Amino acid sequence: EWNIEAMGPTKRHYAGRLIRKLTPLWAHGAALTYNMGKHYPGEQLPRWSIHAHWREDGEPVWRDPALLASDDDKDDAQAKDAAKFAEALAERLQIDPGLVNPAYEDIHYYLWREHRLPANVVAEDAKLRDELERKRLAKVFAQGLAEPVGSVLPLRRVVEDGQRRWQSGKWFFRDSVMFLVPGDSPIGLRLPLESLPWADPDHIEIEAEIDPFAPREELPKKFEFKRLRTAAPGSSIEGFRPVPQDAPVVGKEEPGLVRTALAVEARDGIIHVFYPPLYAAEDWLELTAAIEDTAEEFGRKVILEGYLPPEDDRILNFSVTPDPGVIEANIHPAHSWAEIVERSTQLYEVAREVGLSAEKFMLDGRHVGTGGGNHVVMGGATPADSPFLRRPDLLKSMVGFWHNHPSLSFLFSGLFIGPSSQHPRIDEARQDSLNELEIAFQQVSRQSNTPPWMVDRLFRNIFADMTGNTHRTEFCIDKMYDPNSASGRRGLVEFRAFEMPPHAEMSAAQVLLMRSAIAAFWEKPYERRLIRWDTRLHDEFLLPHYAEADFKDALAELETLGFPLNPEWFAPHIEFRFPQVGEIAVRDMKVELRHALEPWHVLGEEQTSS
């Protein structure tokens, strides 16, 4: 869990304590949400991600932090309490609470799974090889298949006559019961949406529920509906009114069944509220306020989960999520050097208070970093403000300067370096890339008005590792201006070769180096030719003498451009990266032995179906 694994039994507890201590310092009136994080091949479950969301204008998003539950809290809420919460929330949103659907685990699936177990094994104690499957079956059968596990309210936001309002509707299922998709995720991610009626958008047919013992002449026929808006909430189908098939349709058209939903479930005794996807920040804020009011009414703490709020410059956020061997904190942008220093200091202090640190010790006692990245994301308040989009030659200068000074790639990185690392240099195991890089540099220089998408096209296939992964590289431009992705056009460049150092001052020094380089090359672009280091790259610059000498040369170049940095500010980095093993004096000669660096050329990955 704290060496190589991404998930583990204690990480989420530590992450929750960390974000709760940071929130009062950085995010006044923030709401905390537990969301689904990244999901990588070979990992059965997706990772989690805890976010703090707050308003830029200072207005609180969530008034009472005591109503936000954590993994350390205990409560005794049950499914019936979740149902009452969902109904009260529906009323608060001016929606008929009768539209709340009880959600059940899929009886047919779990009976089938039980039937496949050995004859002398009960489901609650199934000796399955898959630990997660064992826990899943035991949990489901312990709570009972006949009992609902949560409540689901179909919900979306609509605009009528210039007014925004919440809209719900009746959900129909073949068995008149909503069975969830089997799994471990919150019920909001396991909704049987494919079981909802699909039909002509202007015509829906729904079979009536029939009593098999009723006389044949009393059996109702199939009901048919044409699309017609009705303002009466709680009608048989919200937005539809039963009419004769040959009757004229009048009124304004309505888009059909509500297919997004809010879910409430009692998990581990705590009420969890799952947000539906929303498309306006105002709607997310209003729903959040309604949830808090309902929690206050019931006197229960809640955990917010589900879809993240829509992206909006007026809502800021930072997050904490797991990564292999570490907990990763993604901090919101800073607008000044003072903000960077203050937040770095606070982060390290708060982490230490909750029992976390940015250092560890190897078996031989060597003091090293955690291996987690101290990645620096650079850009502007808006994509149009990004210095990399306003001046494409700035990216060229940064990449060229880093290439010609290998110490910048190795001095601040973790122990895992080389062509198969998370941030390989362009010239590590791909010598042909230098020719391509020079051609790209020429195109940037020749075009005075380079369109932003052109910069992405020039560098995308060069800034990649041996497998073509554009994220595993020193300079990552996935979010600079990718014309194929709306989320990739943010004007951001991420530098990934910094390891998280053990002290806040060392972290600030790394960021200062990046800021100085950006400022220097904004004034005067870096135009020196790229050096073919060949085998010298690892033969020399993984040794302390050559790395330190090259780093001092790099600082001297920045000084000539008007941005002097004292080499003594980086003495802790050199000592930490190349620790002394020992020394011995023989007559007039002194011999010193230090650790050097070791590149990893091949990483033997575990074979998977992918």
Side-chain angles (χ1 to χ4, degrees):
E1 182 183 13
W2 295 103
N3 283 296
I4 58 174
E5 296 293 337
M7 306 283 273
T10 65
K11 273 190 174 181
R12 182 160 151 159
H13 291 270
Y14 277 104
R17 296 164 195 156
L18 178 65
I19 200 169
R20 276 171 168 76
K21 275 186 168 287
L22 290 173
T23 298
L25 300 175
W26 297 347
H28 171 71
L32 300 182
T33 63
Y34 288 71
N35 308 97
M36 187 173 73
K38 297 177 180 178
H39 196 182
Y40 290 98
E43 296 180 359
Q44 278 205 16
L45 298 178
R47 302 175 186 178
W48 43 262
S49 181
I50 312 177
H51 293 255
H53 309 275
W54 73 101
R55 290 176 53 159
E56 189 178 32
D57 59 10
E59 288 293 321
V61 175
W62 190 276
R63 301 184 306 275
D64 186 2
L67 291 173
L68 289 172
S70 72
D71 292 327
D72 296 324
D73 291 317
K74 303 293 182 182
D75 203 352
D76 58 357
Q78 301 177 4
K80 60 182 181 181
D81 301 304
K84 293 178 181 178
F85 191 100
E87 292 168 358
L89 178 59
E91 289 185 341
R92 200 174 295 276
L93 299 176
Q94 299 182 339
I95 289 176
D96 182 4
L99 296 174
V100 174
N101 299 278
Y104 295 83
E105 295 291 358
D106 192 333
I107 297 176
H108 311 289
Y109 170 79
Y110 285 105
L111 289 180
W112 171 77
R113 290 292 290 117
E114 183 182 33
H115 182 70
R116 295 190 63 192
L117 294 175
N120 61 338
V121 172
V122 295
E124 291 85 346
D125 190 30
K127 302 298 191 292
L128 300 177
R129 293 182 179 179
D130 190 332
E131 180 182 0
L132 292 177
E133 183 70 5
R134 290 200 307 270
K135 293 180 179 179
R136 185 183 302 125
L137 283 178
K139 177 182 177 182
V140 169
F141 280 96
Q143 67 190 11
L145 292 175
E147 298 298 324
V149 294
S151 300
V152 176
L153 173 66
L155 187 67
R156 69 179 174 194
R157 192 69 156 171
V158 296
V159 180
E160 287 187 338
D161 301 325
Q163 300 294 322
R164 307 182 73 86
R165 73 176 184 89
W166 296 101
Q167 186 186 65
S168 185
K170 187 72 173 177
W171 275 6
F172 292 88
F173 298 95
R174 184 175 297 275
D175 297 325
S176 301
V177 177
M178 184 173 71
F179 291 124
L180 298 169
V181 176
D184 303 283
S185 302
I187 64 174
L189 291 173
R190 300 193 286 130
L191 301 178
L193 299 179
E194 292 185 352
S195 300
L196 293 176
W198 280 106
D200 186 322
D202 290 318
H203 191 109
I204 289 183
E205 296 181 356
I206 296 177
E207 296 287 347
E209 191 169 337
I210 297 175
D211 181 1
F213 300 101
R216 177 168 295 277
E217 60 271 14
E218 296 181 10
L219 292 179
K221 295 182 179 180
K222 179 169 55 183
F223 289 111
E224 296 184 349
F225 296 84
K226 286 190 176 181
R227 186 161 62 181
L228 179 69
R229 183 172 62 185
T230 173
S235 57
S236 58
I237 302 181
E238 183 69 25
F240 288 82
R241 180 181 302 161
V243 295
Q245 192 160 354
D246 56 349
V249 178
V250 295
K252 299 179 180 179
E253 286 193 344
E254 187 67 22
L257 287 173
V258 177
R259 295 187 177 272
T260 56
L262 176 143
V264 183
E265 65 176 311
R267 202 159 64 242
D268 299 325
I270 297 177
I271 295 291
H272 290 66
V273 182
F274 188 98
Y275 280 76
L278 298 170
Y279 303 98
E282 293 83 356
D283 300 336
W284 185 87
L285 292 171
E286 182 179 326
L287 181 57
T288 301
I291 294 172
E292 182 178 9
D293 291 340
T294 308
E296 187 176 25
E297 174 188 342
F298 280 77
R300 285 191 182 274
K301 295 183 177 183
V302 297
I303 286 182
L304 309 179
E305 58 185 13
Y307 286 85
L308 289 168
E311 289 191 12
D312 193 297
D313 292 339
R314 297 167 295 176
I315 297 182
L316 307 177
N317 77 88
F318 72 93
S319 65
V320 180
T321 188
D323 217 26
V326 297
I327 288 176
E328 175 184 297
N330 298 289
I331 300 178
H332 50 296
H335 295 83
S336 67
W337 170 246
E339 284 186 359
I340 292 176
V341 174
E342 180 183 43
R343 289 180 194 162
S344 298
T345 303
Q346 291 171 336
L347 176 60
Y348 276 79
E349 290 178 350
V350 169
R352 183 167 283 109
E353 289 174 5
V354 301
L356 296 169
S357 68
E359 57 190 338
K360 63 183 179 183
F361 295 87
M362 301 184 72
L363 291 178
D364 60 359
R366 182 180 174 187
H367 189 193
V368 296
T370 61
N374 191 26
H375 302 162
V376 182
V377 181
M378 302 161 283
T382 66
D385 292 331
S386 171
F388 296 99
L389 295 182
R390 292 161 59 193
R391 285 271 303 278
D393 62 283
L394 180 59
L395 177 61
K396 166 182 174 287
S397 296
M398 296 288 288
V399 173
F401 184 69
W402 247 256
H403 173 84
N404 284 351
H405 291 285
S407 61
L408 300 176
S409 300
F410 301 135
L411 179 57
F412 305 101
S413 66
L415 294 180
F416 186 63
I417 56 177
S420 60
S421 70
Q422 290 284 335
H423 44 79
R425 284 170 53 93
I426 290 176
D427 56 351
E428 286 187 296
R430 290 188 62 192
Q431 292 292 335
D432 61 304
S433 294
L434 285 184
N435 298 330
E436 305 293 335
L437 184 62
E438 288 178 330
I439 295 173
F441 280 1
Q442 292 172 3
Q443 299 303 313
V444 171
S445 301
R446 290 174 182 173
Q447 300 184 33
S448 57
N449 296 317
T450 307
W453 57 266
M454 179 65 75
V455 182
D456 178 271
R457 300 296 92 173
L458 286 173
F459 293 109
R460 170 158 297 277
N461 297 318
I462 303 174
F463 295 169
D465 71 350
M466 295 180 295
T467 67
N469 189 329
T470 58
H471 193 65
R472 293 170 65 125
T473 180
E474 271 194 309
F475 289 88
C476 175
I477 59 172
D478 283 349
K479 296 181 180 179
M480 189 176 70
Y481 208 86
D482 180 4
N484 298 325
S485 167
S487 61
R489 297 192 290 269
R490 301 182 182 181
L492 302 178
V493 173
E494 179 184 9
F495 182 76
R496 296 172 42 80
F498 286 162
E499 182 189 41
M500 195 75 177
H503 297 288
E505 293 85 351
M506 296 173 69
S507 175
Q510 292 175 350
V511 180
L512 179 62
L513 175 64
M514 298 297 297
R515 288 168 57 90
S516 300
I518 291 174
F521 299 135
W522 180 271
E523 297 294 333
K524 184 178 180 181
Y526 186 79
E527 297 291 351
R528 296 194 177 186
R529 292 184 60 184
L530 298 179
I531 300 174
R532 262 63 175 177
W533 292 110
D534 199 32
T535 57
R536 290 178 58 200
L537 180 66
H538 290 164
D539 290 345
E540 293 185 4
F541 300 106
L542 301 186
L543 301 176
H545 168 78
Y546 294 102
E548 184 175 1
D550 178 66
F551 180 67
K552 290 181 178 179
D553 289 342
L555 296 185
E557 281 196 62
L558 293 178
E559 184 173 8
T560 60
L561 297 175
F563 293 88
L565 297 175
N566 191 336
E568 293 184 3
W569 298 345
F570 299 92
H573 292 87
I574 296 174
E575 190 67 30
F576 183 69
R577 199 71 175 100
F578 304 101
Q580 187 183 71
V581 177
E583 62 180 13
I584 185 173
V586 180
R587 296 184 180 177
D588 296 333
M589 181 177 64
K590 178 181 177 183
V591 179
E592 182 180 81
L593 182 65
R594 288 185 176 271
H595 274 283
L597 306 181
E598 179 183 6
W600 291 67
H601 290 276
V602 177
L603 175 63
E605 298 282 5
E606 178 183 353
Q607 291 187 356
T608 63
S609 59
S610 60

